[in-house]
Amino acid sequence: KKVSAASSRAIIALTPPESTADEADANMLRQVLAIKALDEDFGKNGSHVVVELQDVDNRGLIEMVAPDTAEVIVNHDMIGRLMLQCARTPELAFVLDSMMGFEGSEFYFDTWPELHGCNFKEITVRFDDAIPVGFRNVDGDVRLNPADDDVYREGEEILVLAEDDDSYEPNAGTYSLEAGECNEGIDCPTLL
């Protein structure tokens, strides 16, 4: 199938595995320049390019030619940092595997108009089978772990961690917002 780079919301540019680091990064720079040449307004409509680089020293080149369009990922640098953090905090490896692996829960964005006007604290108790972790606004910016009083507005999406994209929906909103308090008719577990 053919795709249109000029009309896409996102482009992922991966380095060829058989190239040296300098050749691969030069190829990525050419690809970003070619995308910018296709459409000067690319990136202004919320679209972006994720570019894989091999050498962290070349990151500035991509950021210079496409500052608002390209997001640079340096695999070796990122993996090295993650390995170091996992060695220092072994539990982090389990958390990363749970969040990034293909088994278990995954991240999903969805819109729930009935929750517009609710703050984040209220939204945290509105899903039985998902964990709300943030919002994405109309500009595409994601706010992770927003303040309790951060309000969910029309046009925004809720970011949740859930088993599947159709495995959750908002409940009736009968859960208490305070730990240790339960609404009438609900058995409250004892907190230790």
Side-chain angles (χ1 to χ4, degrees), residues 8-165:
S8 65
R9 284 188 11 199
I11 297 173
I12 300 173
L14 301 175
T15 58
E18 66 278 352
S19 301
T20 66
D22 287 336
E23 290 171 347
D25 290 355
N27 188 5
M28 293 298 100
L29 180 61
R30 282 192 295 274
Q31 286 187 29
V32 170
L33 288 170
I35 292 167
K36 293 274 293 182
L38 284 174
D39 185 0
E40 289 182 16
D41 291 332
F42 188 84
K44 294 178 183 168
N45 59 356
S47 54
H48 66 282
V49 181
V50 178
V51 182
E52 176 189 24
L53 292 181
Q54 298 292 323
D55 188 351
V56 71
D57 294 335
N58 294 329
R59 174 185 222 114
L61 294 172
I62 301 291
E63 292 171 347
M64 183 174 58
V65 298
D68 300 328
T69 308
E71 182 164 345
V72 178
I73 304 289
V74 183
N75 273 342
H76 297 101
D77 185 51
M78 184 173 65
I79 291 171
R81 289 172 189 246
L82 284 175
M83 289 175 64
L84 179 61
Q85 288 296 325
C86 289
R88 296 171 77 186
T89 312
E91 298 83 9
L92 179 62
F94 174 76
V95 171
L96 289 173
D97 184 46
S98 296
M99 288 176 29
M100 305 297 182
F102 291 106
E103 292 181 20
S105 297
E106 300 166 351
F107 287 106
Y108 296 101
F109 284 104
D110 209 341
T111 302
W112 300 98
E114 63 268 31
L115 299 179
H116 287 151
C118 293
N119 63 39
F120 187 68
K121 184 175 182 180
E122 294 167 336
I123 289 173
T124 59
V125 296
R126 292 297 302 269
F127 293 94
D128 297 329
D129 299 315
I131 301 169
V133 294
F135 300 129
R136 179 166 57 187
N137 65 22
V138 294
D139 296 328
D141 296 328
V142 177
R143 298 185 313 277
L144 293 177
N145 194 22
D148 285 348
D149 60 351
D150 196 351
V151 176
Y152 173 54
R153 294 179 175 77
E154 190 172 334
E156 293 186 326
E157 295 175 299
I158 299 174
L159 174 63
V160 300
L161 188 61
E163 186 71 31
D164 201 358
D165 63 345

